[in-house]
Amino acid sequence: MTNNLQIDLYRLAAAYVFVIILLFIVRRKGISREKEIILASFRMTVQLVLVGYLLVYIFEANNPFYIILMTLVMEAFAVRNVIKRSKRNLSKELKKVITFSIVTSTILCLIYFLAVVLNIKPWYDPKSFIPIAGMLIGNSMTGISLGVNKLLDGMYAERNLIEGALMLGARPKDAAKGVVDSAFDSAIIPTINSMLGMGIVFLPGMMTGQILSGLSPLIATKYQIAIMLGILGSVSLSVILFVQLGYKTFFNDKDQFVLGLEEEK
């Protein structure tokens, strides 16, 4: 089964009609989003084109140094995006927790996935390493972002209850348990919902791409199941690390509740 599906430039340009439709809708509705839509479309195009050329170079070079370097760059941008997306200012300690949680979880899950699940040889095969690393890092970034905002909002909203529990003799772990559990739950719900609808409501991007490239749907299904389980593990590990370590930044050495936030970023 082969399918040499190609998209000519003029056909690719035709796809931008969907951007025009969206611009027309927001204009008619009086929603001031034209600049954001145009900027997002432009940045998406430029970034993907640049990444495409970069990947061609990396694939041809097949050098583990370049692959590791690109992975670290993706990790750095993921951490930066989580911090920038936060609705509130973050303390230095919380930023360190975010960095540790994302990097540790994604690297561990990536190594396990490539070595055990796919058994890639050599381990630095760029055609497998980089796409899978991107999916794990990207989904973990989304999960951590949700967890960060939920944890911060919960700590603010439940401040009086937490302080009251501490005065009654509760440990910080017990006093903040409700907030921590809520943050974890909120962070993993999107991944679980995606898994629930997958295959019936929609076909995921990876599976669709493989089918369009000519791969058997059954083989594509196996890969999709594996990567979704890998994403679930990466998101779960990154979020649990974050909430279990992050809540501690709101308490001092004397187990007193403090808002672990800086006045300025």
Side-chain angles (χ1 to χ4, degrees):
M1 180 179 179
T2 58
N3 182 16
N4 297 321
L5 182 64
Q6 298 290 336
I7 301 179
D8 297 325
L9 285 179
Y10 75 91
R11 294 187 183 277
L12 179 61
Y16 284 89
V17 70
F18 299 112
V19 178
I20 297 174
I21 291 173
L22 178 57
L23 289 172
F24 175 77
I25 293 173
V26 297
R27 186 63 179 251
R28 287 293 300 270
K29 292 292 184 180
I31 303 173
S32 301
R33 290 290 181 185
E34 293 94 337
K35 291 183 179 179
E36 289 88 341
I37 294 170
I38 294 173
L39 178 61
S41 302
F42 176 77
R43 285 189 57 177
M44 177 271 295
T45 302
V46 173
Q47 289 170 181
L48 287 178
V49 169
L50 292 178
V51 168
Y53 281 108
L54 177 61
L55 288 178
V56 168
Y57 175 78
I58 292 176
F59 286 178
E60 292 177 349
N62 199 27
N63 188 320
F65 173 76
Y66 294 148
I67 297 168
I68 293 174
L69 179 61
M70 185 167 186
T71 302
L72 293 177
V73 170
M74 288 191 290
E75 296 277 13
F77 271 92
V79 172
R80 179 179 178 275
N81 285 339
V82 170
I83 294 173
K84 290 295 183 181
R85 287 182 185 179
S86 174
K87 298 177 182 178
R88 303 178 187 272
N89 296 335
L90 307 177
S91 66
K92 292 181 180 179
E93 291 75 14
L94 201 55
K95 291 178 181 178
K96 292 178 181 178
V97 170
I98 291 171
T99 303
F100 175 79
S101 300
I102 292 180
V103 174
T104 301
S105 62
T106 53
I107 293 298
L108 288 177
C109 290
L110 178 61
I111 292 173
Y112 178 84
F113 194 88
L114 292 175
V116 178
V117 179
L118 296 185
N119 191 27
I120 297 298
K121 294 180 182 180
W123 63 266
Y124 56 84
D125 176 28
K127 293 182 180 180
S128 299
F129 194 104
I130 293 177
I132 293 173
M135 285 185 280
L136 296 183
I137 295 171
N139 283 275
S140 294
M141 177 189 71
T142 301
I144 287 282
S145 295
L146 295 172
V148 167
N149 289 321
K150 190 66 177 181
L151 183 68
L152 294 176
D153 291 343
M155 287 296 185
Y156 266 102
E158 304 293 333
R159 178 173 186 173
N160 293 334
L161 293 177
I162 293 174
E163 290 178 333
L166 292 174
M167 288 188 290
L168 292 175
R171 297 176 301 172
K173 180 179 180 180
D174 298 324
K177 185 179 186 303
V179 175
V180 170
D181 291 347
S182 179
F184 179 80
D185 184 55
S186 298
I188 65 171
I189 280 179
T191 302
I192 295 175
N193 287 342
S194 177
M195 294 173 67
L196 288 172
M198 195 166 292
I200 298 178
V201 179
F202 67 95
L203 290 179
M206 177 183 176
M207 183 175 174
T208 302
Q210 289 179 318
I211 293 174
L212 289 175
S213 67
L215 194 66
S216 167
L218 295 178
I219 297 177
T221 298
K222 293 179 182 178
Y223 276 100
Q224 187 60 56
I225 292 173
I227 192 60
M228 277 309 304
L229 294 176
I231 289 172
L232 178 65
S234 180
V235 173
S236 300
L237 182 57
S238 62
V239 173
I240 196 64
L241 282 175
F242 169 72
V243 295
Q244 291 297 326
L245 297 175
Y247 87 89
K248 296 180 180 180
T249 65
F250 294 88
F251 301 89
N252 59 24
D253 295 335
K254 298 179 180 180
D255 289 345
Q256 296 172 325
F257 182 74
V258 293
L259 283 179
L261 306 171
E262 296 177 332
E263 292 298 327
E264 299 181 356
K265 286 189 177 182

